[in-house]
Amino acid sequence: MEFVILTGLSGAGKTRAMHAMEDIGFYCVDNLPPALIPVFYDLCDKSEGIQRRVAVVTDTRGGELFKSFFSALETLKAQNEPYKILFMDASEPVLVNRFQETRRKHPLSEAMQGSLEQAVRLEREMLRPVKEVSDYVIDTSNIPAAGLKARISDLFLQNDNDAITVHCISFGFKYGLPLESDLVFDVRCLPNPFYVEELREHTGLEAPVRDYVMNCKETEGFKTRFTDMIDYMLPLYIQEGKSQLVIAVGCTGGHHRSVALAQYMHDHLVANGIHATVSHRDITKQ
């Protein structure tokens, strides 16, 4: 099991880091008291493979409970449980500015009689020993959101393609566009099996229709351009931090051409190591 303890300074980007880890397949729990970390570790470890990538966020929001942080680490070490610590950091001016912009309350502000600057300094001093034992430290002072996600992916992804999930969906234009679409391709320009009597009642998931659509000369040129475009764009989307992409392929009724080509794109992506899913929205409509 891959187990990551995510901690660090308030305002340094732990929430964004947690979301980035969720996007690449981690099961994340926020604001877990350190004393419960070994218990939660054991629960996940016994889940029979259900949760194999886990991240827990723990920090000074826990108040007195956070003082058990190193005791929790000792418990994990005593049980020979492997883990990594990711520490989120940022400069004092940046942290102060972030709290002022969001008007959020710093967890230690009351202890410092409401002084934000003193609260930031106190927390940094409190967490200095935690930072020193951390496996990874990310300073977010000058890192945009997309950049932070890229850093998280670099640390915890073995394959860059895992950073994005692509959903291919076929649909019929006469039933409207799928609202979740990022990219829409109109394949009504291709020969329509609807006008071939023996194919009309079948769908693009069946071999006769699929072969008719995929083997015509017009589709040959479309397939090449379709795959070339998506292959070019995917790394750019990943670079920009996008974690999900919906590719919608539409024909008139959503039974024949769009089904065959959405399925084709799905199979192409999977063959190239991309995590992809496919659905056919209108295939059962009359």
Side-chain angles (χ1 to χ4, degrees):
M1 180 174 67
E2 186 175 7
F3 193 89
V4 178
I5 300 171
L6 175 56
T7 188
L9 298 173
S10 301
K14 295 187 297 294
T15 299
R16 285 184 175 179
M18 182 183 71
H19 292 163
M21 297 185 78
E22 286 178 333
D23 286 343
I24 61 174
F26 277 83
Y27 176 76
C28 299
V29 175
D30 189 20
N31 205 11
L32 189 69
L36 294 181
I37 291 177
V39 178
F40 185 67
Y41 191 113
D42 185 60
L43 177 65
C44 293
D45 200 33
K46 293 178 180 177
S47 65
E48 298 182 357
I50 297 175
Q51 305 296 347
R52 303 314 300 167
R53 308 188 82 200
V54 179
V56 297
V57 183
T58 187
D59 52 41
T60 58
R61 286 175 295 171
E64 290 294 314
L65 296 175
F66 189 71
K67 292 183 178 180
S68 63
F69 182 83
F70 283 99
S71 297
L73 297 188
E74 290 301 321
T75 300
L76 293 177
K77 291 176 182 176
Q79 297 172 351
N80 294 316
E81 307 287 16
Y83 64 88
K84 298 290 184 182
I85 301 176
L86 170 60
F87 189 93
M88 306 302 296
D89 199 359
S91 67
E92 181 177 324
V94 168
L95 293 174
V96 170
N97 185 59
R98 287 175 182 173
F99 272 99
Q100 289 175 336
E101 285 182 344
T102 61
R103 299 184 180 181
R104 300 267 336 251
K105 181 180 178 182
H106 193 283
L108 301 181
S109 61
E110 289 187 4
M112 292 292 102
Q113 288 76 49
S115 171
L116 178 57
E117 291 84 358
Q118 292 183 32
V120 169
R121 295 190 194 108
L122 174 62
E123 185 178 44
R124 186 179 298 282
E125 190 60 33
M126 289 174 56
L127 295 180
R128 192 178 306 279
V130 177
K131 181 178 178 180
E132 290 174 352
V133 300
S134 296
D135 299 279
Y136 315 106
V137 177
I138 298 179
D139 188 324
T140 64
S141 300
N142 299 301
I143 300 179
L148 176 57
K149 181 169 183 179
R151 290 286 300 276
I152 295 292
S153 297
D154 288 342
L155 288 175
F156 299 107
L157 275 183
Q158 295 180 344
N159 184 347
D160 289 343
N161 289 339
D162 293 337
I164 193 167
T165 297
V166 181
H167 180 57
C168 302
I169 180 171
S170 69
F171 71 97
F173 275 96
K174 70 178 183 178
Y175 301 113
L177 289 170
L179 296 179
E180 67 271 31
S181 305
D182 294 302
L183 300 173
V184 177
F185 292 87
D186 184 350
V187 297
R188 290 176 293 184
C189 57
L190 302 178
N192 192 351
F194 179 83
Y195 296 109
V196 179
E197 187 173 349
E198 59 268 27
L199 300 179
R200 183 175 303 164
E201 301 304 319
H202 297 276
T203 75
L205 294 178
E206 299 173 77
V209 173
R210 182 178 63 248
D211 293 344
Y212 177 90
V213 172
M214 304 305 288
N215 293 333
C216 66
K217 67 179 188 303
E218 293 89 346
T219 305
E220 287 297 326
F222 179 85
K223 286 192 300 182
T224 300
R225 292 162 175 81
F226 191 22
T227 53
D228 285 350
M229 177 177 288
I230 298 303
D231 290 346
Y232 175 77
M233 295 174 72
L234 274 182
L236 302 180
Y237 280 122
I238 293 172
Q239 182 178 317
E240 287 300 310
K242 192 169 182 62
S243 59
Q244 298 181 74
L245 182 72
V246 179
I247 301 173
V249 183
C251 62
T252 304
H255 288 190
H256 303 113
R257 295 164 291 181
S258 63
V259 172
L261 283 157
Q263 195 70 45
Y264 168 78
M265 177 53 69
H266 166 267
D267 296 345
H268 168 78
L269 293 170
V270 170
N272 284 276
I274 303 295
H275 182 245
T277 58
V278 64
S279 65
H280 305 292
R281 192 191 71 178
D282 301 326
I283 198 170
T284 60
K285 294 179 179 177
Q286 298 297 319

